[in-house]
Amino acid sequence: MDDKIKIDRGILHILDIENGMPIFSDNFLEDDEASLDFVYAHILNLIDDLKVKKLFFREEDNKVRIIAEKLSEDGEYFLEATKEIGQIFYGLLDKYVDISAGDYIFVKFDMNGDPCFGMFKFPYKESYIHYVESSENGQQNKIIRQMTTLPGLKQKIGECFIINLNTLEVYLKEKKCEIDGEKRYYLSELVLEVEEGKSTYEKMKQCEQTMKSVVKKYCDDEQKAMQKFKSEMSRKAFEDEEIVFEEIVDAVFKEQHEIKEICKDEMDKKGLLKDKIEVSEPVQKTLTKKHKILIDEGIEIKLPVEYLDRQDKIEIINNPDGSLSFIIKNINKIK
């Protein structure tokens, strides 16, 4: 295990409306290798997930915030804290049918020296296992359907949060459920009551979508402009500690001042222009994935992102008849 993460204790509560009541455990998860590896793996998955939002509580009298503050002062309050939050979840399960039942693991741990409190929801899923049955007629191997299996170590989950008990910063991953006839983020709105915010994934996606929209309307060479955008994003991810979207717009359009201002206006409307994302290993991996180019004859070409803006590697030529020529240059060998 990573020395930066030290698990103190964890507990599993079963919150399923079909049971008629929450089934709260009175004892912590066993301090064995299997339990610790399972919890540890999902903590790491959350930390590295680009869909995680980093937020703060809106109000001081927030129920979960009060629980977190009390837990930061009294570590032995952990068991009671998990049951209090579990009761909040169960009340929502009872009220809104679109919120799924599941097993909820709560964990207290240290991360980079800071005490943290986390919740990981594991909704029930259907799976199958083999079962060996012995009888007087001999042995029979059967297939048994399981309805409450947990995800694997590498499988990312959709609903979880970590609260830094020193700073009260909340790391949150959530999904929308139908609440009073509309899709809402019930976890941030009704449980944690935190401020609104975007994840790194949402920022990157909105930035690219805005760029595509502007390029499609105002640029003569859409392909070249989007190649420049992806190349600049990739370059920034390896040269700087953060990516500022306004700087990306400046780099893509340079002397095209009118289009540049249009793009900045669109970015500003979405709250992205002055926004930035911190560069991390997951960000670098995402921005350096192969770029896929589809040609109308059904040919698919995958290129390293860093090649998109290099004319010594690739070139797209506009032919007089309106067709395009795609040239790959300086190839040493073909495998």
Side-chain angles (χ1 to χ4, degrees):
M1 287 191 179
D2 194 327
D3 291 337
K4 295 180 180 179
I5 297 176
K6 295 182 179 179
I7 298 173
D8 178 21
R9 64 192 69 177
I11 196 166
L12 185 149
H13 297 316
I14 300 171
L15 304 180
D16 186 353
I17 209 70
E18 296 296 326
N19 294 327
M21 61 182 295
I23 302 176
F24 292 130
S25 176
D26 294 315
N27 295 286
F28 302 141
L29 291 172
E30 293 183 6
D31 190 14
D32 58 21
E33 186 174 343
S35 296
L36 290 179
D37 284 349
F38 182 80
V39 173
Y40 174 79
H42 286 290
I43 292 174
L44 280 186
N45 286 342
L46 178 59
I47 293 170
D48 291 337
D49 198 325
L50 296 182
K51 293 184 179 180
V52 169
K53 305 172 187 178
K54 298 179 182 180
L55 309 169
F56 287 94
F57 295 108
R58 290 197 305 263
E59 307 292 340
E60 291 187 1
D61 61 351
N62 175 296
K63 290 180 181 179
V64 177
R65 174 177 177 152
I66 292 171
I67 291 171
E69 289 176 335
K70 188 173 180 180
L71 184 58
S72 68
E73 298 171 357
D74 180 11
E76 298 306 312
Y77 174 60
F78 175 77
L79 177 59
E80 186 179 347
T82 65
K83 290 182 178 181
E84 289 180 16
I85 296 177
Q87 196 64 61
I88 295 174
F89 276 110
Y90 191 80
L92 293 173
L93 284 170
D94 190 30
K95 187 174 182 180
Y96 303 110
V97 296
D98 198 37
I99 300 177
S100 60
D103 291 344
Y104 289 67
I105 290 181
F106 294 87
V107 59
K108 186 174 181 295
F109 62 99
D110 283 353
M111 181 169 62
N112 298 321
D114 285 336
C116 296
F117 173 72
M119 184 286 297
F120 300 84
K121 176 183 177 180
F122 301 98
Y124 300 135
K125 64 173 185 174
E126 183 178 292
S127 65
Y128 294 83
I129 63 170
H130 68 258
Y131 175 73
V132 180
E133 184 178 87
S134 298
S135 68
E136 59 184 19
N137 296 321
Q139 186 169 282
Q140 181 179 0
N141 297 333
K142 295 183 176 182
I143 296 175
I144 304 295
R145 185 172 66 171
Q146 297 279 1
M147 299 298 293
T148 59
T149 52
L150 298 176
L153 297 181
K154 294 184 179 180
Q155 183 177 339
K156 292 184 178 181
I157 54 179
E159 296 177 84
C160 45
F161 67 78
I162 290 174
I163 302 173
N164 184 314
L165 297 178
N166 279 343
T167 65
L168 294 183
E169 186 174 19
V170 179
Y171 297 78
L172 170 65
K173 185 178 180 183
E174 59 180 345
K175 59 183 181 179
K176 289 184 176 180
C177 289
E178 187 171 315
I179 305 293
D180 296 329
E182 62 177 319
K183 291 288 185 179
R184 294 167 57 187
Y185 285 120
Y186 80 95
L187 192 50
S188 59
E189 294 180 29
L190 305 179
V191 179
L192 296 168
E193 297 180 41
V194 290
E195 61 188 12
E196 293 183 5
K198 299 184 184 77
S199 67
T200 297
Y201 173 82
E202 289 172 318
K203 291 178 183 179
M204 291 168 60
K205 186 176 181 180
Q206 285 189 2
C207 180
E208 183 172 356
Q209 288 174 338
T210 304
M211 184 67 68
K212 279 183 178 179
S213 176
V214 171
V215 164
K216 187 173 183 179
K217 286 182 181 179
Y218 302 102
C219 290
D220 295 330
D221 194 334
E222 298 177 31
Q223 183 76 30
K224 186 177 180 180
M226 289 308 298
Q227 287 177 351
K228 180 66 175 176
F229 166 72
K230 292 186 177 182
S231 178
E232 282 298 318
M233 290 286 284
S234 176
R235 184 181 65 81
K236 284 284 189 181
F238 282 92
E239 293 182 2
D240 298 336
E241 294 182 354
E242 60 186 20
I243 299 174
V244 182
F245 294 134
E246 185 172 17
E247 294 176 0
I248 297 295
V249 175
D250 288 334
V252 171
F253 295 113
K254 289 186 177 178
E255 303 303 319
Q256 297 173 288
H257 300 296
E258 186 176 349
I259 301 177
K260 185 192 301 182
E261 291 307 312
I262 291 172
C263 189
K264 285 186 176 183
D265 286 343
E266 291 299 314
M267 290 276 192
D268 198 31
K269 289 176 184 176
K270 297 178 181 179
L272 293 169
L273 184 61
K274 301 297 182 181
D275 214 338
K276 57 190 176 183
I277 57 175
E278 295 179 8
V279 172
S280 62
E281 187 175 342
V283 168
Q284 290 176 335
K285 286 182 179 179
T286 299
L287 293 177
T288 54
K289 286 181 179 178
K290 301 287 186 181
H291 177 68
K292 182 168 65 176
I293 296 176
L294 296 176
I295 298 175
D296 54 9
E297 281 82 5
I299 299 171
E300 181 178 299
I301 302 173
K302 290 185 179 180
L303 297 167
V305 172
E306 60 267 25
Y307 282 13
L308 296 180
D309 198 36
R310 290 182 56 180
Q311 290 196 357
D312 64 318
K313 291 294 184 182
I314 64 169
E315 186 176 359
I316 299 176
I317 299 174
N318 292 301
N319 299 317
D321 62 358
S323 65
L324 298 173
S325 294
F326 187 90
I327 303 174
I328 303 175
K329 305 177 180 180
N330 299 319
I331 300 172
N332 292 323
K333 63 175 69 174
I334 298 177
K335 296 181 179 180

